[in-house]
């Protein structure tokens, strides 16, 4: 039974140039119909698979683009269909710095939300403009202050590197600005130019000027050096936390555990089956109104595929993949299945074994995707 649930709110007040998540402009959208459809999917999910949760995550899109009354209805649905202990569960909501108000923060706190993930990306005004963000540095500072005034202690901030026009010096300044906020958690992601984004269109036309691979690697190494020096432990390729403030919800994914996905475009993993929901909002609503599960794709993984996912997801974690856990989960030794790939990666210095775990070295973290690919289809 899954112990984690993700709820997708695909509505945004503004679409960023790099974003490839399932999202639409909020204006003119049937938001109330969408919330009713989500309510039905929650009911079906809870009845079919179980109600007890330990982590909840509302992402988007921009969840806080919802009006206060709409936020209230969303939380009412969640509480009606699922059960969780407010004193022990982790309940996260994503937000933009310029979309938070005291009223909305109070609604979140009253609903049991105890973790905020704030999308900052950069503090530099020119870079913010270049990537299509609408907030300013002072909005970030104020958002964190308001969140703390509302009672939030567990606050996370997202940063990006490899942005158009970004230099190592600018990224180092972003790291210092983030450290000055003294939040509990920092996520630091590289820009990925994905299809169906404005950046992808610019890249295809040769108009997107990005830092080179070497500059991007320097930025990543800068984060790996500076953030631990500031008291944050790197517990995953792109994530750093103060002690005890790791994202328990995201660890569900990296531990290859089960989770529910509710809403348009959401993914779930239950009983060895991966399901992907219909993406377009109106198509999602229509499927629910017909009384149908809103699945676009349903795929049962083979045991082999589950093993591969155990490795390439688990290797994202700094501690790596536990050999004992692998044995307990699959009834065989990791080396019996992936021995050749493991030996190659150990020999070239991208993997190491320590305390019963197989994990990426620092060099391996720089080349993570190449290491993960080594375990796909390996016999």
């Amino acid at each position: 039974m899954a112990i984690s649930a993700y709820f997708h709110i695909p509505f945004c007040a503004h679409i960023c140039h790099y974003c490839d998540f399932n999202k639409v402009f909020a204006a003119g959208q049937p938001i109330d119909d969408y919330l009713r459809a989500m309510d039905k999917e929650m009911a079906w999910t809870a009845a079919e698979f179980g109600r007890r949760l330990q982590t909840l995550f509302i992402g988007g899109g921009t969840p806080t683009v919802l009006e206060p009354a709409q936020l209230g209805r969303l939380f009412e649905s969640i509480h009606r269909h699922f059960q969780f202990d407010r004193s022990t569960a982790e309940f996260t909501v994503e937000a933009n710095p310029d979309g938070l108000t005291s009223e909305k923060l109070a609604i979140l706190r009253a609903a049991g939300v105890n973790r905020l993930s704030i999308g900052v990306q950069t503090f530099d005004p020119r870079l913010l403009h270049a990537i299509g963000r609408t907030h300013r540095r002072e909005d970030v500072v104020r958002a964190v202050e308001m969140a703390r005034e509302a009672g939030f202690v567990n606050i996370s901030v997202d940063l990006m590197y490899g942005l158009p026009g970004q230099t190592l010096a600018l990224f180092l300044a972003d790291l210092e600005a983030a450290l000055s906020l003294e939040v509990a958690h920092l996520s630091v992601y590289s820009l990925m130019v994905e299809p169906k984004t404005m950046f992808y269109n610019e890249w295809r036309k040769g108009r997107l000027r990005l830092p080179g691979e070497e500059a991007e690697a320097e930025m990543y190494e800068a984060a790996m050096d500076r953030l631990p020096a500031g008291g944050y432990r790197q517990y995953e390729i792109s994530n750093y936390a103060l002690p005890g403030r790791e994202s328990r919800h995201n660890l569900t994914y990296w531990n290859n555990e089960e989770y529910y996905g509710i809403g348009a475009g959401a993914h779930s993993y239950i009983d060895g089956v991966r399901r992907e929901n219909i993406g377009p909002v109106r198509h999602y609503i229509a499927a629910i109104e017909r009384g149908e599960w809103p699945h676009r794709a349903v795929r049962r993984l083979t045991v082999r595929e589950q093993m591969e996912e155990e490795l390439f997801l688990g290797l994202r974690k700094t501690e790596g993949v536990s050999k004992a856990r692998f044995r307990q989960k699959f009834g065989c030794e990791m080396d019996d299945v992936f021995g050749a790939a493991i030996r190659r990666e150990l020999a070239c210095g991208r993997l190491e074994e320590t305390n019963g775990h197989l994990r990426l070295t620092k060099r391996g973290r720089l080349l993570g995707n190449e290491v993960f690919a080594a375990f796909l289809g390996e016999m």
Side-chain angles (χ1 to χ4, degrees):
M1 181 178 69
I3 59 172
S4 297
Y6 173 82
F7 306 88
H8 190 67
I9 302 299
F11 309 111
C12 290
H14 180 80
I15 305 296
C16 300
H17 300 343
Y18 56 85
C19 182
D20 73 326
F21 295 140
N22 189 44
K23 79 287 181 185
V24 291
F25 283 111
Q29 293 293 327
I31 296 178
D32 292 327
D33 291 342
Y34 180 77
L35 294 175
R36 282 189 286 271
M38 285 186 74
D39 180 83
K40 290 182 181 179
E41 190 186 3
M42 289 183 214
W44 298 345
T45 300
E48 180 84 11
F49 301 109
R51 300 179 182 276
R52 296 293 304 178
L53 297 175
Q54 294 181 17
T55 77
L56 305 88
F57 196 110
I58 304 177
T62 311
T64 50
V65 79
L66 298 181
E67 296 296 331
Q70 292 169 335
L71 277 173
R73 285 199 293 277
L74 173 63
F75 289 126
E76 194 276 330
S77 291
I78 292 172
H79 282 279
R80 180 153 33 88
H81 298 303
F82 296 104
Q83 299 171 351
F84 59 94
D85 186 336
R86 290 186 182 222
S87 65
T88 59
E90 179 190 86
F91 193 169
T92 305
V93 170
E94 289 182 337
N96 282 337
D98 52 351
L100 286 172
T101 65
S102 297
E103 181 182 13
K104 290 182 180 180
L105 286 166
I107 292 170
L108 267 55
R109 286 292 294 164
V113 176
N114 53 22
R115 185 173 183 272
L116 280 181
S117 179
I118 302 176
V120 174
Q121 320 316 350
T122 177
F123 293 87
D124 185 87
R126 289 171 298 177
L127 293 179
L128 285 168
H129 178 74
I131 65 176
R133 299 292 282 177
T134 58
H135 67 266
R136 301 166 299 170
R137 178 178 182 143
E138 47 267 39
D139 295 323
V140 178
V141 175
R142 180 57 184 151
V144 172
E145 290 175 350
M146 289 172 58
R148 287 188 170 128
E149 290 168 2
F152 285 95
V153 175
N154 199 356
I155 300 171
S156 179
V157 161
D158 287 356
L159 293 178
M160 295 180 72
Y161 63 93
L163 302 176
Q166 190 176 38
T167 63
L168 177 60
L170 288 174
F171 180 63
L172 287 169
D174 277 347
L175 291 177
E176 295 304 323
L179 286 167
S180 72
L181 296 173
E182 299 182 339
V183 294
H185 187 280
L186 292 167
S187 296
V188 185
Y189 300 107
S190 66
L191 172 69
M192 303 296 290
V193 179
E194 303 285 2
K196 300 181 182 179
T197 65
M198 187 179 297
F199 271 177
Y200 182 76
N201 294 334
E202 292 296 298
W203 174 77
R204 289 189 64 188
K205 296 172 184 175
R207 296 204 294 246
L208 189 64
R209 298 288 183 260
L210 298 174
E213 289 185 8
E214 184 176 337
E216 190 170 312
E218 288 177 347
M219 294 179 199
Y220 181 57
E221 290 186 274
M224 285 197 291
D225 292 338
R226 181 65 185 96
L227 296 182
Y232 293 83
R233 183 177 78 90
Q234 184 179 16
Y235 69 100
E236 191 267 348
I237 284 178
S238 303
N239 286 272
Y240 304 76
L242 297 180
R245 292 302 188 183
E246 297 82 4
S247 170
R248 289 164 50 199
H249 183 85
N250 286 339
L251 280 167
T252 297
Y253 305 141
W254 303 320
N255 287 330
N256 199 23
E257 295 170 346
E258 297 184 334
Y259 54 91
Y260 305 140
I262 309 291
H267 293 244
S268 63
Y269 181 43
I270 308 168
D271 296 332
V273 178
R274 292 204 177 274
R275 297 173 174 87
E276 178 187 351
N277 278 358
I278 297 166
V281 168
R282 295 178 191 274
H283 293 182
Y284 167 83
I285 294 170
I288 296 283
E289 290 179 345
R290 290 193 300 269
E292 302 172 359
W293 284 98
H295 299 147
R296 188 185 79 83
V298 178
R299 184 165 178 271
R300 178 170 293 280
L301 301 184
T302 65
V303 174
R304 174 66 193 206
E305 288 170 331
Q306 293 177 46
M307 291 178 178
E308 290 175 352
E309 291 193 354
E310 187 80 9
L311 262 70
F312 72 71
L313 290 170
L315 284 172
R316 294 188 62 90
K317 298 179 296 178
T318 304
E319 71 174 12
V321 182
S322 165
K323 290 193 166 186
R325 175 186 166 93
F326 187 96
R327 184 188 315 116
Q328 181 182 28
K329 195 169 184 178
F330 299 108
C332 60
E333 298 294 334
M334 188 188 300
D335 290 295
D336 292 341
V337 183
F338 299 106
I342 291 172
R343 288 190 292 272
R344 286 197 304 270
E345 294 303 316
L346 288 171
C348 71
R350 300 194 297 198
L351 284 183
E352 62 184 0
E353 290 190 45
T354 178
N355 299 322
H357 287 70
L358 186 70
R359 69 177 192 175
L360 295 173
T361 61
K362 185 174 182 180
R363 177 171 176 263
R365 285 179 230 164
L366 289 165
L367 302 166
N369 287 336
E370 294 179 26
V371 181
F372 304 152
F375 294 98
L376 299 180
E378 172 69 27
M379 298 300 292

